[in-house]
Amino acid sequence: MSDGRPPDTPPDPQAPEGVDRGDAATTGFPPVNPASAVLDDFLNHDHGARIALGDLVGILGDRAFGALLLILSIPNILPVPGLSTATGLPMLLIGAQIAAGRDRPWLPRRLAALTLDRDAFLRVIAKAKPHVDRLERHLRPRLPAMTAPTAERLLGVAVMILAGILALPIVFGNQPPAFAIALIALGLIEKDGAFVIAGLVAGLIAIVIVAAVLFGFGQAGMLIFDKLFS
């Protein structure tokens, strides 16, 4: 699952000083396709009136799983109402495929046929782009053990858990797991193990937050029940 660039691609001007993201000989890492380039290519693609999830996979499929996770997590961070289930279920399936060690993402026909409003979706991706650009200044290939094949499979399990939470209709429960998935996705795209670790920590915090919200709702429900029927 690599996000490679041609070997003659010039160095990334946003890479940290002394680090050339496109030169495997100097970094010791395979070349990567920056997250900002992934978003630029998606925004510049000739989309139809609505964007089917299957088309999304077709557009980004050769960029590996990290690109899809990033694109699908963004609408839940800002957020866009009504997209948590539509984006959470595909991310859950993508996480399962990462855990299974697949090379390319795949969606079943009925899920692939689901569509998103093009203008709303592209608007939110464009809004997120400057934030990704700023984060990208801190991204660089490091801690290779966290993005190795074995680690990626374990990350797939983490993505499944977070996407499952994200897909639930929980008030205030979408943003924390979506942010954690986005950090993991950035780490996978640019082979940055530090961002992967940050995503895992954010994921644990997200689980605690969602559990607290559910506990609070449960307590409130019990109080209401006692008031009405006691």
Side-chain angles (χ1 to χ4, degrees), residues 74-94:
I74 285 174
N76 297 285
I77 298 174
L78 293 180
V80 178
L83 283 183
S84 61
T85 301
T87 54
L89 291 177
M91 284 194 284
L92 195 157
L93 185 56
I94 290 168

Side-chain angles (χ1 to χ4, degrees), residues 43-138:
L43 289 169
N44 294 328
H45 187 82
D46 186 17
H47 299 283
R50 295 186 65 83
I51 300 175
L53 291 179
D55 294 338
L56 188 61
V57 173
I59 295 167
L60 299 173
D62 61 346
R63 305 296 186 90
F65 293 92
L68 273 171
L69 290 175
L70 178 62
I71 292 288
L72 290 171
S73 64
I74 285 174
N76 297 285
I77 298 174
L78 293 180
V80 178
L83 283 183
S84 61
T85 301
T87 54
L89 291 177
M91 284 194 284
L92 195 157
L93 185 56
I94 290 168
Q97 293 174 42
I98 294 174
R102 285 182 60 92
D103 293 328
R104 292 178 61 84
W106 169 85
L107 295 178
R109 183 177 300 177
R110 292 185 65 178
L111 191 57
L114 292 177
T115 61
L116 309 170
D117 180 79
R118 177 193 62 187
D119 293 338
F121 195 61
L122 294 183
R123 193 181 307 120
V124 74
I125 298 299
K127 186 176 180 181
K129 175 69 166 48
H131 300 290
V132 173
D133 289 343
R134 284 193 289 272
L135 281 174
E136 195 168 70
R137 300 190 186 110
H138 306 285

